[in-house]
Every structure is written in structure tokens, then in C-alpha cells.
Amino acid sequence: MILGIGSDLANIDRIAAVLERHGARFRDRVFTPAEQARAEARPMTVAGTYAKRWAAKEACSKALGTGLRMGISWRDMAVTNLPTGQPVMTVTGWAAERLAQMTPPGHEAVIHVTLTDDHPWAQAFVVIEARPCAANPSET
């Protein structure tokens, strides 16, 4: 079952301007070290990479049903990538607590995220799904 859906559109040029104006202060407030390493390793698309992750965090906060309020922190949501390149959203802190509150008993939450960009836009969609937990093998 779907627990939440969120989307966001970010302007890459706006993110580039914020990066230029505020630098490390902005990066450290919003992005985890892993997210920063991923972006900084892509010199031709640094701002685009940050913009996609910004959009993903906004989309995730919307899927959690809160937006960026009620104690949620930017760094409570993080986008990493599988070896295949597929983006993965993980949540910690208050975002993880909110996700646990949303998840029905006997279910596990799965966060799906997709990212795209076409200059000057970066876009993210997040879907939070509740899947029934697998039966305990010792009970069968």
C-alpha cells in the first residue's frame, strides 16, 4: 500500500548560486558527507547533483506528510546510490521516527526515489510503500 507520495522541482542555477554564495555552510547544513562526496566527484554537474538531492529531500518530506517542519532536518534524509547507479533514500532521526509512525503493524516501509535533470531543472519523485513483513521462517 502507498503511504505517501512527494515530488519536487529544483532550479539548478538557483542551487549553483546558493553554493557559490554560501559554500560549505550550505552544503554542511543540507547534505550528508556521502552526498557531498558524490556531488564533488562530478565536476561537470556539481550543481545538478546537489539540485537533484535537494529535490529528493523536499519530495521525501512531502511523502512523509510533513514538509520541512515539525523537527525534520535536511540531513535526516539522504540520497545514496547503489552500484548500478539507482538512487536510494535513507532516513534517520525524526524522519525515521515519522516513517515508523506511518507504517502499519506487520509492514515494512520501502522508500522509492527517482531523480532526473534537464538543465535548468532537477526533479525528484518519492513514493513510500508499506509491504507486509515476510513470515518468520521459524514460525513455518
Side-chain angles (χ1 to χ4, degrees), residues 6-91:
S7 68
D8 194 66
L9 187 65
N11 185 288
I12 296 169
D13 294 333
R14 179 175 160 255
I15 296 297
V18 172
L19 286 165
E20 183 152 332
R21 189 170 40 251
H22 299 289
R25 192 172 125 224
F26 169 69
R27 287 191 307 270
D28 293 343
R29 189 177 127 247
V30 176
F31 302 100
T32 66
E35 289 173 312
Q36 291 181 44
R38 173 79 176 193
E40 299 299 327
R42 306 180 78 201
M44 298 298 290
T45 61
V46 171
T49 301
Y50 279 123
K52 286 187 283 189
R53 278 148 179 76
W54 171 279
K57 292 167 186 266
E58 287 273 7
C60 184
S61 71
K62 293 171 186 175
L64 289 168
T66 63
L68 286 160
R69 58 183 174 85
M70 297 173 54
I72 200 166
S73 165
W74 287 103
R75 290 173 51 131
D76 284 348
M77 302 165 287
V79 178
T80 57
N81 295 82
L82 298 176
T84 60
Q86 177 184 350
V88 177
M89 175 69 72
T90 56
V91 293

Side-chain angles (χ1 to χ4, degrees), residues 3-4 56 59-60 63-64 76-79 86-92 95-96 99 103 108-114 125-131:
L3 298 179
C60 184
L64 289 168
D76 284 348
M77 302 165 287
V79 178
Q86 177 184 350
V88 177
M89 175 69 72
T90 56
V91 293
T92 59
L99 183 60
T103 306
E108 64 178 343
V110 179
I111 302 174
H112 304 277
V113 61
T114 187
F125 287 96
V126 170
V127 175
I128 302 176
E129 173 189 14
R131 291 183 186 162

Side-chain angles (χ1 to χ4, degrees), residues 104-124:
H107 289 73
E108 64 178 343
V110 179
I111 302 174
H112 304 277
V113 61
T114 187
L115 308 172
T116 192
D117 65 302
D118 187 8
H119 197 271
W121 302 108
Q123 185 175 35

